[in-house]
């Protein structure tokens, strides 16, 4: 099984919710996992997602990137979108978020 893990470029969220669990999965199973940053400067393309059985996405920075990710779904691949954080209800005190 080939897994592509799309993340936001290296935040704490990507560390705990993408890198840590998927690196452990790779150790346990031997499955190859590719980690790819998706930011405003590094857009996601359909060609970069070809050939993967599972595509994990987290915190896309644009609607366009999310739309491209959705189009990557094929009869032979599955999409997983990580939504552990409620990014739409961040309090004003958390100015960095």
């Amino acid at each position: 099984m080939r897994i592509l893990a799309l993340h936001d470029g290296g935040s704490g969220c990507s560390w705990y919710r993408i890198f840590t669990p998927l690196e452990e999965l790779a150790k346990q199973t031997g499955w190859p996992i590719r980690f790819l940053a998706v930011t405003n400067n590094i857009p996601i393309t359909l060609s970069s997602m070809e050939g993967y059985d599972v595509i994990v996405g987290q915190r896309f920075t644009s609607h366009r990137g999310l739309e491209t990710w959705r189009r990557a779904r094929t009869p032979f691949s599955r999409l997983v979108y990580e939504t552990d954080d409620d990014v739409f209800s961040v309090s004003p005190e958390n100015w960095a978020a």
Side-chain angles (χ1 to χ4, degrees):
M1 177 171 305
R2 294 187 64 221
I3 299 172
L4 175 62
L6 306 169
H7 60 87
D8 66 358
S11 70
C13 290
S14 63
W15 175 259
Y16 287 106
R17 295 181 177 90
I18 299 296
F19 288 105
T20 301
L22 292 177
E23 285 174 345
E24 185 62 28
L25 179 67
K27 286 180 195 174
Q28 298 292 323
T29 64
W31 294 338
I33 299 175
R34 178 180 177 208
F35 296 93
L36 179 64
V38 179
T39 66
N40 288 330
N41 299 329
I42 307 169
I44 188 167
T45 63
L46 286 174
S47 62
S48 65
M49 294 184 283
E50 285 181 3
Y52 290 94
D53 303 302
V54 176
I55 303 169
V56 179
Q58 185 229 20
R59 295 181 68 177
F60 287 102
T61 58
S62 71
H63 292 288
R64 188 173 177 193
L66 188 56
E67 177 185 327
T68 302
W69 173 77
R70 286 179 179 155
R71 289 196 325 242
R73 172 75 163 78
T74 72
F76 305 103
S77 67
R78 295 297 177 257
L79 303 178
V80 177
Y81 188 65
E82 191 280 314
T83 58
D84 186 44
D85 289 333
D86 182 2
V87 296
F88 300 108
S89 299
V90 177
S91 72
E93 292 84 27
N94 190 351
W95 60 270

